[in-house]
């Protein structure tokens, strides 16, 4: 975050405030959300294991990654 703040000419704290004001979530929550969506796509479309983000995935989606893969494999629908 510090590198992004420096490149944008803002303090880290001010960048966090602006980010939250614009997107409605803090930067860390946004990054986690984007990662969860990427994991959903990977589970539904591929065979590679998703070892990282297991707890965050379960917290946001409500099921384990392996259960999600079984349910949505071969579909284009993301619940």
């Amino acid at each position: 975050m510090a590198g992004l703040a420096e490149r944008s000419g803002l303090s880290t704290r001010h960048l966090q405030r602006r980010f939250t004001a614009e997107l409605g979530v803090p930067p860390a929550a946004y990054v986690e959300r984007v990662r969860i969506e990427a994991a959903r796509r990977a589970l539904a479309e591929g065979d590679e294991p998703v070892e990282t983000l297991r707890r965050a995935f379960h917290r946001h989606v409500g099921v384990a990654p392996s259960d999600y893969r079984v349910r949505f494999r071969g579909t284009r629908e993301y619940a």
Side-chain angles (χ1 to χ4, degrees), residues 9-56:
L10 302 171
S11 70
T12 302
R13 187 172 178 176
H14 188 65
L15 177 61
Q16 290 175 338
R17 287 180 181 159
R18 299 264 319 256
F19 191 98
T20 302
E22 290 294 321
L23 298 177
V25 294
Y30 178 81
V31 169
E32 185 174 75
R33 184 186 304 164
V34 169
R35 288 179 176 168
I36 294 296
E37 288 303 316
R40 284 177 139 177
R41 283 190 301 276
L43 287 167
E45 297 172 3
D47 292 328
E48 296 179 28
V50 178
E51 295 301 323
T52 59
L53 302 170
R54 186 172 303 281
R55 284 182 287 195

